[in-house]
Amino acid sequence: MTTMTAQTTQVYQLLVKATPEQIWEAITNPEFTTKYFHGSYVDSTFEAGAPYNGYSPDRSEHWVEGEVLESEPPRRLQHTWRALYNPETATEPASRVTWEIQPQEDGTSLLSVTHDQLEGAPKTAESVSGTGWMSVLSGLKTLLETGEPLSG
């Protein structure tokens, strides 16, 4: 039997047929995030020092809390991440998520998401690894490229 340990630095990259501005809008506009981010309503001004919060679609549950560390629209967003959606992850310290968007010559954009500082948050690392972030990013790509959220 093989046991996988979630990495303390996780990096995900994908090409999206969209402009950096379109991707920025999709990661900062709650009307978009609710369609691909597990229904999460992301709330922030996205200015450095501002709170970064994720809520259930009806805003009755607080799923993620953090603080915006860097904001360079439409190229880079960095914020802390404390997962409140699970009692085990809610007790762990905050980790960090960095979104980087680089336009490519062919009209696509390279989206890189790095989730790091997970050393003190093993349950969070486990919950976001593998299909956690990949589900979110696949949904983002599909929504931007087709205008429709992933089914199922």
Side-chain angles (χ1 to χ4, degrees):
M1 180 169 92
T2 302
T3 303
M4 285 195 72
T5 303
Q7 299 297 311
T8 57
T9 296
Q10 301 176 19
V11 180
Y12 303 90
Q13 292 186 306
L14 65 156
L15 288 169
V16 182
K17 190 174 180 179
T19 65
E21 291 79 9
Q22 290 169 314
I23 296 172
W24 183 266
E25 178 75 5
I27 64 176
T28 61
N29 182 328
E31 300 306 317
F32 279 95
T33 62
T34 57
K35 295 178 183 175
Y36 71 85
F37 213 137
H38 304 294
S40 185
Y41 182 97
V42 174
D43 185 22
S44 180
T45 62
F46 299 99
E47 296 171 1
Y52 175 95
N53 291 293
Y55 297 96
S56 60
D58 66 1
R59 298 189 71 167
S60 66
E61 296 176 45
H62 194 183
W63 287 349
V64 173
E65 74 175 5
E67 177 185 341
V68 176
L69 302 172
E70 294 180 37
S71 182
E72 300 169 23
R75 299 283 197 268
R76 182 177 169 86
L77 175 65
Q78 185 177 75
H79 56 85
T80 59
W81 175 279
R82 197 163 75 88
L84 306 176
Y85 48 78
N86 175 309
E88 290 183 328
T89 61
T91 64
E92 295 181 329
S95 53
R96 181 175 65 184
V97 176
T98 305
W99 305 76
E100 294 179 293
I101 307 163
Q102 300 171 331
Q104 306 297 295
E105 290 184 15
D106 64 0
T108 63
S109 294
L110 176 64
L111 173 60
S112 302
V113 175
T114 302
H115 195 152
D116 63 358
Q117 298 183 348
L118 287 158
E119 295 83 358
K123 294 293 185 185
T124 299
E126 183 181 333
S127 82
V128 300
S129 69
T131 58
W133 272 113
M134 285 312 302
S135 173
V136 168
L137 298 174
S138 295
L140 170 65
K141 177 179 172 69
T142 299
L143 181 62
L144 285 171
E145 292 181 349
T146 70
E148 297 292 326
L150 278 173
S151 58

